[in-house]
């Protein structure tokens, strides 16, 4: 499950310089998006940014506006224009993924009920046109689940299916769920299947060409995977839980990414997982595991030393460079709380590179995504965050040989770790089938400004 980060929102003075060049003109790009008509009170409760082809950034976040908890969508196009939308009813988006290379973005999250002070899980899609304008947003209620936190989008049996994980609190006890939803043959309705998960601590969901996998852990030493057959999500393989007893403990949520080109079906079924933990209960390290979902075998395991613990926030795969990029919360060496992006080579035993953002200390980033330039692959990563009244974005081209104006790069020595074999445990899922009415969300557009904010490239 992606981490929700509580931020204090302080009103600041907007920057005045405009920024109007396309992303492809820059090795590195950093900018603010500020709305002059949205005034938040209290805290920002969540934030996530994804890259949308071609060259768009889409962010979801939430806060209190005029005394009500509201979700907001911000869309940045070609680093030249930006628009924000306040969502009505109180839709709180938790995860998003572009539907192929179309104008459709699938999402999941919750609908907040201000009367009951509770939430109902939602999933659906929004349409974002070529101009970067949010044209429409449609959702269904998933009554059994309080919030859907992470999703993947797959093509199964000729139709688009959203597979999502979520949870609901019952008397301070959390029950986890998996939900798969799709447009039905009935007018203006969706069908969805929901099942409670026995997996205790769910951390992520990932899809490959042939499989969907749910990642979980016991927060001690065991990593667990449950897989679904993309062509038949009801196949019996979903009823098996694969458990990997690690030599290290797992201190923070494992983050997962697909090691392949998402829109090219070439039988690629490997994933990468990263987590922080203590090796032999003594030494902090960041661990990388490469798994093949076609065999459930571990094909590579690496780690690097840390002077202090790091906190993995998000992960993506830059297919053009065959590189895993991980956003971490602490500067290696723990000199300052400067988030870094660490670049892993999952198929090589070479030193890693990490990029430290050379902005002010305590400038927090909250999500990491690829930014696609072509359907064939991506070499850009995109970081998103919130600071003061501004949405913040940083884009970097890993494939460029030019110097970066906004980050400093360093090397990290790594080690090869032992491969771990799995144990297959029976763990059947019982799905229930439902119909839900497709509903429209009102998206109220607000005025945004774009500003440069990388003030000192030589810091």
């Amino acid at each position: 499950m992606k981490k929700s980060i509580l931020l204090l929102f302080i009103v600041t003075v907007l920057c005045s310089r405009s920024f109007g060049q396309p992303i492809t003109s820059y090795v590195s790009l950093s900018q603010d998006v500020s709305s002059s008509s949205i005034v938040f009170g209290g805290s920002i409760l969540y934030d996530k940014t994804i890259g949308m082809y071609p060259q768009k950034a889409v962010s979801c976040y939430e806060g209190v506006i005029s005394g009500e908890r509201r979700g907001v969508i911000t869309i940045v196009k070609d680093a030249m224009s930006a628009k924000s939308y306040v969502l009505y009813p109180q839709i709180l988006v938790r995860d998003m993924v572009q539907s192929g290379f179309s104008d459709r973005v699938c999402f999941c999250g919750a609908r907040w009920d201000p009367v009951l002070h509770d939430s109902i899980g939602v999933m659906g899609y929004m349409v974002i046109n070529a101009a970067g304008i949010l044209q429409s947003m449609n959702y269904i209620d998933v009554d059994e689940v309080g919030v859907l936190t992470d999703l993947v989008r797959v093509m199964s049996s000729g139709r688009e299916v959203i597979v999502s994980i979520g949870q609901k609190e019952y008397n301070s006890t959390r029950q986890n769920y998996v939900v798969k939803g799709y447009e039905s043959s009935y007018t203006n309705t969706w069908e969805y299947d929901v099942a409670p998960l026995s997996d205790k601590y769910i951390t992520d969901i990932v899809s490959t060409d042939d499989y969907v996998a749910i990642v979980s852990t016991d927060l001690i030493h065991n990593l667990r995977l449950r897989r679904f057959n993309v062509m038949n999500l009801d196949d019996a393989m979903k009823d098996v839980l694969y458990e990997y007893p690690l030599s290290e403990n797992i201190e923070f949520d494992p983050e997962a990414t697909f090691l392949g080109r998402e829109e090219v079906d070439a039988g690629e079924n490997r994933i990468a997982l990263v987590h922080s933990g203590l090796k032999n209960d003594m030494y902090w390290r960041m661990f990388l595991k490469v798994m093949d979902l076609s065999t459930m075998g571990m094909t590579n395991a690496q780690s690097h030393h840390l002077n202090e613990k790091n906190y993995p926030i998000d992960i993506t795969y830059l297919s053009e460079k065959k590189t895993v990029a991980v956003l971490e919360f602490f500067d290696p060496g723990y000199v300052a709380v400067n988030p870094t992006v660490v670049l892993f080579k999952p198929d090589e035993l070479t030193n890693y590179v990490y990029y430290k953002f050379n902005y002010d200390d305590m400038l927090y980033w909250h999500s990491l995504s690829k930014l696609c330039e072509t359907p064939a692959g991506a070499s850009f990563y995109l970081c998103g965050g919130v600071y003061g009244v501004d949405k913040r974005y940083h884009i970097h081209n890993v494939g460029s040989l030019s110097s970066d104006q906004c980050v400093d790069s360093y090397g990290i020595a790594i080690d090869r770790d032992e491969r771990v074999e799995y144990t297959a445990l029976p763990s059947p899922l019982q799905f229930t089938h439902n119909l839900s009415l497709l509903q429209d969300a009102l998206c109220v557009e607000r005025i945004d400004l774009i500003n440069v904010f990388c003030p000192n490239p030589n810091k």
Side-chain angles (χ1 to χ4, degrees):
M1 176 187 312
K2 301 298 186 294
K3 275 67 76 172
S4 297
I5 302 176
L6 188 65
L7 304 177
L8 181 64
F9 225 81
I10 306 172
V11 177
T12 60
V13 179
L14 299 180
C15 301
S16 59
R17 289 194 297 162
S18 64
F19 192 88
Q21 291 85 355
I23 289 169
T24 48
S25 301
Y26 288 82
V27 175
S28 174
L29 178 154
S30 294
Q31 65 185 38
D32 287 334
V33 173
S34 305
S35 176
S36 60
S37 61
I38 300 178
V39 179
F40 286 100
S43 300
I44 290 296
L45 305 175
Y46 184 81
D47 173 63
K48 183 176 177 64
T49 296
I50 66 167
M52 180 183 176
Y53 176 82
Q55 291 190 178
K56 297 186 189 74
V58 182
S59 295
C60 62
Y61 49 106
E62 65 192 67
V64 176
I65 303 174
S66 301
E68 295 287 344
R69 188 175 176 183
R70 297 292 181 191
V72 180
I73 298 291
T74 293
I75 303 165
V76 180
K77 181 182 181 298
D78 294 327
M80 293 185 291
S81 63
K83 298 181 183 298
S84 287
Y85 300 85
V86 181
L87 306 179
Y88 298 87
Q90 290 163 270
I91 303 294
L92 311 174
V93 177
R94 284 289 183 267
D95 200 9
M96 304 174 288
V97 64
Q98 187 175 7
S99 179
F101 291 102
S102 72
D103 59 1
R104 184 159 146 157
V105 173
C106 301
F107 72 90
C108 69
R111 178 172 61 82
W112 179 252
D113 189 322
V115 177
L116 298 177
H117 295 282
D118 200 359
S119 62
I120 297 171
V122 297
M123 63 167 53
Y125 62 90
M126 61 186 95
V127 177
I128 299 173
N129 68 15
I133 296 173
L134 179 56
Q135 289 188 311
S136 62
M137 188 173 188
N138 303 278
Y139 69 94
I140 63 168
D141 286 337
V142 180
D143 294 329
E144 296 87 345
V145 182
V147 58
L148 293 168
T149 58
D150 301 89
L151 86 161
V152 294
R153 168 260 180 197
V154 297
M155 294 301 297
S156 179
S157 301
R159 65 188 175 196
E160 183 177 62
V161 181
I162 300 174
V163 186
S164 183
I165 52 176
Q167 64 204 31
K168 189 173 181 63
E169 298 284 341
Y170 296 96
N171 298 322
S172 300
T173 300
R174 175 184 295 177
Q175 173 64 61
N176 295 309
Y177 292 89
V178 58
V179 181
K180 44 191 175 74
Y182 48 90
E183 290 183 82
S184 74
S185 56
Y186 299 96
T187 303
N188 208 38
T189 59
W190 270 36
E191 299 181 44
Y192 71 88
D193 300 301
V194 58
L197 285 166
S198 60
D199 319 36
K200 293 301 181 184
Y201 195 79
I202 312 296
T203 69
D204 212 346
I205 186 170
V206 61
S207 63
T208 68
D209 287 349
D210 299 315
Y211 304 98
V212 172
I214 295 174
V215 183
S216 62
T217 178
D218 62 357
L219 289 181
I220 304 175
H221 290 286
N222 291 310
L223 177 70
R224 299 186 176 108
L225 292 176
R226 182 191 295 273
R227 65 174 174 169
F228 297 74
N229 185 340
V230 164
M231 295 310 297
N232 180 8
L233 295 169
D234 295 319
D235 188 275
M237 70 168 55
K238 73 182 186 307
D239 295 330
V240 178
L241 198 59
Y242 296 87
E243 185 174 83
Y244 301 80
L246 306 181
S247 59
E248 70 272 9
N249 66 345
I250 302 173
E251 290 292 325
F252 299 114
D253 299 357
E255 299 282 345
T257 187
F258 169 46
L259 296 181
R261 293 173 296 170
E262 291 182 347
E263 298 307 318
V264 179
D265 191 349
E268 296 175 303
N269 289 303
R270 295 189 311 151
I271 63 173
L273 299 102
V274 297
H275 70 92
S276 290
L278 283 169
K279 190 173 184 66
N280 300 323
D281 296 321
M282 295 179 63
Y283 306 106
W284 282 105
R285 299 181 75 90
M286 178 66 76
F287 298 90
L288 169 71
K289 314 292 185 187
V290 178
M291 324 289 284
D292 188 340
L293 295 185
S294 62
T295 64
M296 299 306 292
M298 185 182 295
T299 61
N300 206 352
Q302 309 168 20
S303 64
H304 65 265
H305 290 281
L306 301 173
N307 294 335
E308 291 287 344
K309 61 184 178 181
N310 276 23
Y311 187 92
I313 299 173
D314 213 346
I315 185 172
T316 194
Y317 182 62
L318 306 175
S319 54
E320 188 175 302
K321 305 305 296 182
K322 295 181 171 57
T323 297
V324 174
V326 179
L327 178 63
E328 299 181 1
F329 190 67
F330 292 107
D331 172 19
Y334 208 53
V335 176
V337 188
N338 277 103
T340 62
V341 172
V342 180
L343 303 181
F344 296 76
K345 291 288 188 180
D347 295 314
E348 301 175 15
L349 192 63
T350 59
N351 289 349
Y352 300 149
V353 173
Y354 79 86
Y355 291 126
K356 173 185 173 182
F357 298 122
N358 56 21
Y359 315 127
D360 296 334
D361 294 350
M362 306 298 288
L363 175 58
Y364 298 142
W365 298 93
H366 314 132
S367 60
L368 182 75
S369 171
K370 64 182 178 296
L371 185 69
C372 290
E373 282 207 298
T374 69
S379 61
F380 286 88
Y381 67 71
L382 166 67
C383 293
V386 180
Y387 187 71
V389 297
D390 300 325
K391 281 290 304 169
R392 294 212 149 170
Y393 299 90
H394 173 75
I395 300 162
H396 175 67
N397 184 4
V398 172
S400 174
L401 298 178
S402 302
S403 61
D404 192 307
Q405 296 182 0
C406 295
V407 301
D408 298 319
S409 64
Y410 304 87
I412 304 177
I414 69 167
D415 292 326
R416 172 70 55 80
D417 291 332
E418 293 182 5
R419 173 175 172 164
V420 177
E421 302 296 335
Y422 67 78
T423 299
L425 306 172
S427 181
L429 294 183
Q430 300 295 325
F431 280 100
T432 56
H433 187 71
N434 303 270
L435 291 178
S436 187
L437 182 66
L438 191 65
Q439 303 178 67
D440 297 328
L442 178 62
C443 309
V444 181
E445 183 178 323
R446 302 299 176 96
I447 299 172
D448 281 343
L449 303 173
I450 292 183
N451 309 280
V452 169
F453 78 92
C454 185
N456 185 3
N458 299 314
K459 181 178 177 181

